[in-house]
Amino acid sequence: MRILLVEDNRDILANMADYLGLKGYTVDCAQDGLSGLHLAATAHYDLIVLDVMLPGLDGFTLCRRLREDARRDTPVIMLTARDQLDDRLQGFRSGADDYLLKPFALSELAARIEAVLRRTQGGGRRELQVADLSYNLDTLEVNRSGKALKLNPIGLKLLAVLMQKSPHVVRRDVLEEAVWGDDCPDSDSLRSHVHQLRQVIDKPFAMPLLHTVHGVGYRLAEETNGV
């Protein structure tokens, strides 16, 4: 599931992106209305989280132009500190599917996203499974062969992307962007975290699932060669 976050407050944006990334969503971000509209109109998203007060183009106008000009029906959840009924009605009239007042708990945002996705496309895939490895995206619980595994936040992000793309190869740059965005610490960071992930999900078990595709990236799949 791919989500676009349009929010000009850097702290709020980072918190939402990190939390939803741990939930297994692929997240893109924009910090102004014009950039948000360009992304929303030119790329595919399963849902958009849209702040009302944005530089360049406000959320109401963005949503209306997305519906009327770009002819996109992507579900939209609006965020705002404005709690007047008229403001909420304006949001719905501009094409929003739901409305969340600031400040809000990240868990409530995730619940609203899941509810809107259920209504619009039958719900998202909340339980990832590859062979005997499972990852519950709602509880963040990881199990293999019935044994609970403990992963750090970066490990959870990596695992979510690898499981969602399984059995395909995920390029290194895709994994780096999913974990760190544009601020990847150094070239060895990804290798180090993949090693830690492999120690948890593979080392205690007979069959390896996490495979290195040299010069390209990594894949999570039930196989014994190509490591």
Side-chain angles (χ1 to χ4, degrees), residues 141-196:
E141 294 176 338
V142 179
N143 289 271
R144 183 167 183 189
S145 294
K147 179 182 178 182
L149 306 178
K150 186 174 179 59
L151 293 172
N152 61 32
I154 290 179
L156 289 172
K157 283 187 179 182
L158 288 173
L159 185 62
V161 177
L162 288 164
M163 293 185 77
Q164 287 173 327
K165 301 294 185 181
S166 177
H168 303 294
V169 177
V170 185
R171 299 193 318 273
R172 289 179 54 88
D173 61 321
V174 172
L175 287 170
E176 288 172 343
E177 183 179 358
V179 175
W180 295 289
D182 296 327
D183 300 314
C184 182
D186 57 62
S187 59
D188 291 326
S189 293
L190 179 63
R191 184 181 297 109
S192 174
H193 284 288
V194 168
H195 174 75
Q196 293 176 34

Side-chain angles (χ1 to χ4, degrees), residues 30-223:
Q31 291 185 263
D32 64 83
L34 291 174
S35 298
L37 179 60
H38 174 74
L39 287 171
T42 58
H44 169 76
Y45 293 99
D46 297 288
L47 184 137
I48 299 169
V49 178
L50 174 63
D51 187 32
V52 169
M53 300 299 292
L54 293 167
L57 192 71
D58 68 80
F60 295 137
T61 304
L62 190 161
C63 191
R64 186 170 60 252
R65 288 178 59 177
L66 184 67
R67 300 293 190 233
E68 297 176 358
D69 299 339
R71 300 294 181 184
R72 291 296 185 104
D73 59 358
T74 311
V76 172
I77 297 178
M78 279 195 167
L79 306 176
T80 185
R82 300 162 130 184
D83 62 354
Q84 298 299 312
L85 176 60
D86 286 346
D87 294 320
R88 296 197 297 274
L89 292 177
Q90 184 178 357
F92 288 122
R93 283 195 296 267
S94 67
D97 296 87
D98 201 357
Y99 206 98
L100 185 57
L101 294 177
K102 294 180 177 179
F104 55 86
L106 290 171
S107 56
E108 182 181 3
L109 173 63
R112 296 287 187 107
I113 289 172
E114 291 164 16
V116 171
L117 289 174
R118 280 197 301 271
R119 291 200 304 266
T120 57
Q121 55 187 44
R125 186 184 178 193
R126 307 308 303 159
E127 181 89 18
L128 300 176
Q129 186 82 37
V130 175
D132 58 348
L133 177 68
S134 65
Y135 180 11
N136 187 309
L137 296 173
D138 295 317
T139 64
L140 304 183
E141 294 176 338
V142 179
N143 289 271
R144 183 167 183 189
S145 294
K147 179 182 178 182
L149 306 178
K150 186 174 179 59
L151 293 172
N152 61 32
I154 290 179
L156 289 172
K157 283 187 179 182
L158 288 173
L159 185 62
V161 177
L162 288 164
M163 293 185 77
Q164 287 173 327
K165 301 294 185 181
S166 177
H168 303 294
V169 177
V170 185
R171 299 193 318 273
R172 289 179 54 88
D173 61 321
V174 172
L175 287 170
E176 288 172 343
E177 183 179 358
V179 175
W180 295 289
D182 296 327
D183 300 314
C184 182
D186 57 62
S187 59
D188 291 326
S189 293
L190 179 63
R191 184 181 297 109
S192 174
H193 284 288
V194 168
H195 174 75
Q196 293 176 34
L197 178 62
R198 183 177 275 127
Q199 292 295 106
V200 176
I201 68 170
D202 273 350
K203 188 174 182 180
F205 305 94
M207 181 181 65
L209 293 176
L210 181 52
H211 308 282
T212 301
V213 181
H214 295 288
V216 182
Y218 303 91
R219 69 193 301 260
L220 195 72
E222 188 175 5
E223 60 179 25

